[in-house]
């Protein structure tokens, strides 16, 4: 056990030479300086071992005993550590600084994750969080999570809930989107139901107001389908006209419609032709500071592609708030070439069909039949989509006045 302790605390093997070397041993005993493994070489010299921590005291005692001492070697864990420190002090200092840097930078936010959003873009949420101080490079312990979440919610009416949880260099933002309130029918404002498109009525349902058309009638865009005026008459035949009642008309009108959508592009396009020249630049971002070393570029006409690659530095698998950016500029010239008409037509047809599908989704309709027409005219390629659809064409249009007001012949006769 004692041997193990000596190995842990370290020891020095000493050779002592003098006229009376035994005096050194007596002084060591008097000053309670432990030694072991004493071996005599001759009458004036011997070797022994002492603890590493007593090495300086032994020098003083050797001077008093008029002995010359030399080290034969050092052993043990403490001796090895001392040797490393003496020979590698620069490395150890750098290692200590690295650990301090990791400990310091780990208190700054490096990653902000947003969860729970579906329709609200993440970029919008991050922009609002930045306004309240939650951003990359922010000092994490200084952020009051609950207060920051409440402040961010004030600028995001699309959200009903937000929670911010900070875990070291990572901020987790959990949100819940607010449910859209159904649009309430404002019956206090008079209105008519008007046709949004030409078509043949297949089904007309009136909730409030008076239908002016029947199933099978042909209507034009802008015609009133359900009027917000109701004629009032007394009971029985030949009853007097009591005027009309103004209401907020409501109902649904399903009709068969024919839609025409069109897209056009030039028959020629500008194509990039790279010159083969490249210029690289570098940038660095540390917390909130950013430096771009791609200044004074020789490419000045602006016709160039810029490819940027950003990487975050790590130390011992820990992310640091340091980002290195490499930017590559590739200049080019433009030349005019004819387009591939077949591919372009297919692309335009897909775009037109997507527009029609979005329109039918908004109008609660369906596409019955489609047909495409291509033509070249004036140096341009035009694609026309002809579609037969079934959709809701009724749209509520407000009108002047007040609901519930009765007017007509009866009122006119009374005034006379």
């Amino acid at each position: 056990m004692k041997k193990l302790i000596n190995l842990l605390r370290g020891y020095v093997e000493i050779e002592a030479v003098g006229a009376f070397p035994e005096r050194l041993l007596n002084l060591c005993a008097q000053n309670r300086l432990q030694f072991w493994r004493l071996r005599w070489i001759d009458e004036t010299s011997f070797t022994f071992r002492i603890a590493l921590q007593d090495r300086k005291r032994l020098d003083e005692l050797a001077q008093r005993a008029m002995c010359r001492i030399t080290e034969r070697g050092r052993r043990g864990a403490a001796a090895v550590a001392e040797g490393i420190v003496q020979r590698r002090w620069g490395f150890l200092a750098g290692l200590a600084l690295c650990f301090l840097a990791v400990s310091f930078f780990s208190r700054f936010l490096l990653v902000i994750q947003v969860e729970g959003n579906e329709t609200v873009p993440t970029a919008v949420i991050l922009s609002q969080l930045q306004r309240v101080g939650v951003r990359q490079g922010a000092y994490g312990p200084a952020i009051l999570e609950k207060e920051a979440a409440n402040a961010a919610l004030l600028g995001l009416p699309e959200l009903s809930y937000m929670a911010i949880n900070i875990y070291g260099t990572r901020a987790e933002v959990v949100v819940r989107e607010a449910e859209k309130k159904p649009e309430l029918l404002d019956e206090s404002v008079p209105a008519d139901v008007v046709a949004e498109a030409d078509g043949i009525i297949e089904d007309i349902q009136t909730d409030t107001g008076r239908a002016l058309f029947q199933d099978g009638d042909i209507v034009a865009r802008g015609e009133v389908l359900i009027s917000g005026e109701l004629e009032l008459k007394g009971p029985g035949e030949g009853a007097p006209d009591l005027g009309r009642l103004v209401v907020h008309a409501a109902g649904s009108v399903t009709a068969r419609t024919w839609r025409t959508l069109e897209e056009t592009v030039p028959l020629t396009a500008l194509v990039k032709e790279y010159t083969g020249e490249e210029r690289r630049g570098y940038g660095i971002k540390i917390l909130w500071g950013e430096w771009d070393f791609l200044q004074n570029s020789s490419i000045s006409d602006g016709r160039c592609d810029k490819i940027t690659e950003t990487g975050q530095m790590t130390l011992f698998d820990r992310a640091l708030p340091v980002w290195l950016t490499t930017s590559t500029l590739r200049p080019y010239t433009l030349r005019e070439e004819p387009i591939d008409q077949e591919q372009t037509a297919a692309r335009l047809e897909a775009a037109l069909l997507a527009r029609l599908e979005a329109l039918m989704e908004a109008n609660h309709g369906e596409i019955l039949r489609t047909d495409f027409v291509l033509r070249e005219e004036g140096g341009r390629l035009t694609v026309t989509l002809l579609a037969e659809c079934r959709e809701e064409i009724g749209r509520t249009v407000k009108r002047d006045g007040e609901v519930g007001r009765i007017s007509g012949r009866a009122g006119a006769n009374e005034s006379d």
Side-chain angles (χ1 to χ4, degrees):
M1 185 66 181
K2 189 173 183 180
K3 183 177 180 181
L4 179 61
I5 293 175
N6 289 333
L7 284 174
L8 290 176
R9 69 179 183 175
Y11 61 88
V12 185
E13 188 170 352
I14 299 294
E15 179 181 349
V17 179
F20 304 99
E22 61 274 8
R23 294 183 58 185
L24 177 61
L25 298 177
N26 293 333
L27 288 174
C28 289
Q30 292 173 8
N31 289 273
R32 299 180 181 278
L33 193 150
Q34 296 183 0
F35 59 90
W36 66 94
R37 284 288 183 96
L38 176 63
R39 293 179 181 177
W40 287 92
I41 301 175
D42 52 35
E43 294 180 354
T44 60
S45 63
F46 60 86
T47 63
F48 64 99
R49 295 177 179 178
I50 63 170
L52 184 63
Q53 62 186 11
D54 296 331
R55 177 65 180 83
K56 291 184 179 180
R57 292 180 59 194
L58 182 63
D59 288 337
E60 299 174 1
L61 298 178
Q63 290 180 1
R64 291 170 57 183
M66 293 184 295
C67 293
R68 186 181 77 252
I69 60 175
T70 57
E71 291 188 12
R72 283 192 168 187
R74 297 189 176 196
R75 304 287 187 276
V80 173
E82 184 181 40
I84 293 175
V85 171
Q86 290 177 352
R87 294 191 301 270
R88 306 282 186 176
W89 64 270
F91 170 75
L92 294 176
L95 187 62
L97 288 175
C98 288
F99 278 111
L100 289 175
V102 170
S103 301
F104 174 73
F105 288 132
S106 64
R107 303 175 72 84
F108 292 86
L109 295 184
L110 304 181
V111 179
I112 301 177
Q113 297 176 338
V114 180
E115 301 177 359
N117 58 314
E118 295 180 0
T119 59
V120 181
T122 300
V124 174
I125 299 175
L126 292 177
S127 177
Q128 182 62 24
L129 289 171
Q130 188 173 7
R131 292 189 181 96
V132 299
V134 182
R135 63 182 183 278
Q136 286 184 337
Y139 187 62
I143 297 175
L144 302 178
E145 301 172 5
K146 187 175 181 180
E147 286 75 2
N150 292 335
L153 272 179
L154 294 177
L156 295 169
E158 303 88 352
L159 301 180
S160 62
Y161 171 80
M162 176 182 291
I164 301 176
N165 302 310
I166 297 178
Y167 305 101
T169 60
R170 182 173 62 90
E172 182 185 73
V173 182
V174 181
V175 300
R176 296 289 182 271
E177 296 182 351
E179 294 183 2
K180 292 184 178 180
K181 296 181 180 179
E183 203 173 311
L184 300 178
L185 181 63
D186 187 4
E187 298 182 352
S188 63
V189 178
D192 299 322
V193 176
V194 178
E196 185 188 34
D198 303 341
I200 300 176
I201 296 178
E202 292 189 344
D203 182 54
I204 182 168
Q205 299 290 335
T206 303
D207 296 331
T208 307
R210 178 168 56 94
L212 302 182
F213 294 90
Q214 299 178 352
D215 297 350
D217 289 347
I218 300 176
V219 295
R221 180 179 180 180
E223 285 190 297
V224 177
L225 305 177
I226 303 175
S227 174
E229 291 186 0
L230 297 175
E231 295 182 358
L232 300 179
K233 291 186 178 182
E237 295 184 5
D241 186 357
L242 300 179
R244 59 185 183 276
L245 175 63
V246 180
V247 298
H248 186 102
S252 63
V253 182
T254 303
R256 187 182 296 264
T257 60
W258 287 263
R259 295 281 186 175
T260 302
L261 303 179
E262 197 170 80
E263 288 281 355
T264 180
V265 294
L267 290 174
T268 58
L270 295 177
V271 179
K272 296 179 181 179
E273 185 174 359
Y274 293 98
T275 63
E277 179 187 358
E278 283 191 1
R279 178 179 176 84
R280 290 182 179 271
Y282 303 92
I284 185 171
K285 179 181 178 183
I286 302 177
L287 293 178
W288 47 84
E290 188 171 358
W291 295 268
D292 186 4
F293 304 110
L294 194 62
Q295 304 295 331
N296 300 323
S297 171
S298 61
I299 303 173
S300 59
D301 60 359
R303 289 185 177 178
C304 61
D305 286 342
K306 184 176 181 181
I307 304 171
T308 303
E309 298 177 351
T310 302
Q312 188 172 8
M313 297 185 63
T314 59
L315 180 64
F316 303 119
D317 294 329
R318 296 287 299 273
L320 298 178
V322 180
W323 292 265
L324 296 179
T325 301
T326 303
S327 300
T328 304
L329 296 179
R330 301 178 60 195
Y332 60 85
T333 58
L334 296 176
R335 71 172 188 272
E336 195 171 285
E337 286 189 356
I339 64 173
D340 187 327
Q341 296 190 19
E342 185 176 347
Q343 291 185 0
T344 303
R347 179 171 53 85
L348 294 180
E349 289 177 3
L352 289 172
L353 190 58
R355 282 176 52 190
L356 181 63
E357 290 174 349
L359 182 61
M360 290 300 104
E361 183 178 356
N363 293 346
H364 307 286
E366 59 178 330
I367 302 172
L368 302 178
R369 187 174 61 87
T370 59
D371 191 18
F372 294 96
V373 177
L374 280 71
R375 71 176 186 275
E376 296 181 21
E377 186 178 16
R380 302 182 69 86
L381 175 65
T382 302
V383 179
T384 304
L385 169 61
L386 304 175
E388 183 180 352
C389 309
R390 180 182 292 112
E391 59 181 302
E392 169 67 40
I393 65 170
R395 292 295 177 269
T396 301
V397 178
K398 296 179 181 179
R399 53 188 293 183
D400 296 333
E402 298 178 356
V403 299
R405 182 169 58 89
I406 301 175
S407 62
R409 298 176 185 174
N413 293 336
E414 290 177 4
S415 62
D416 291 341

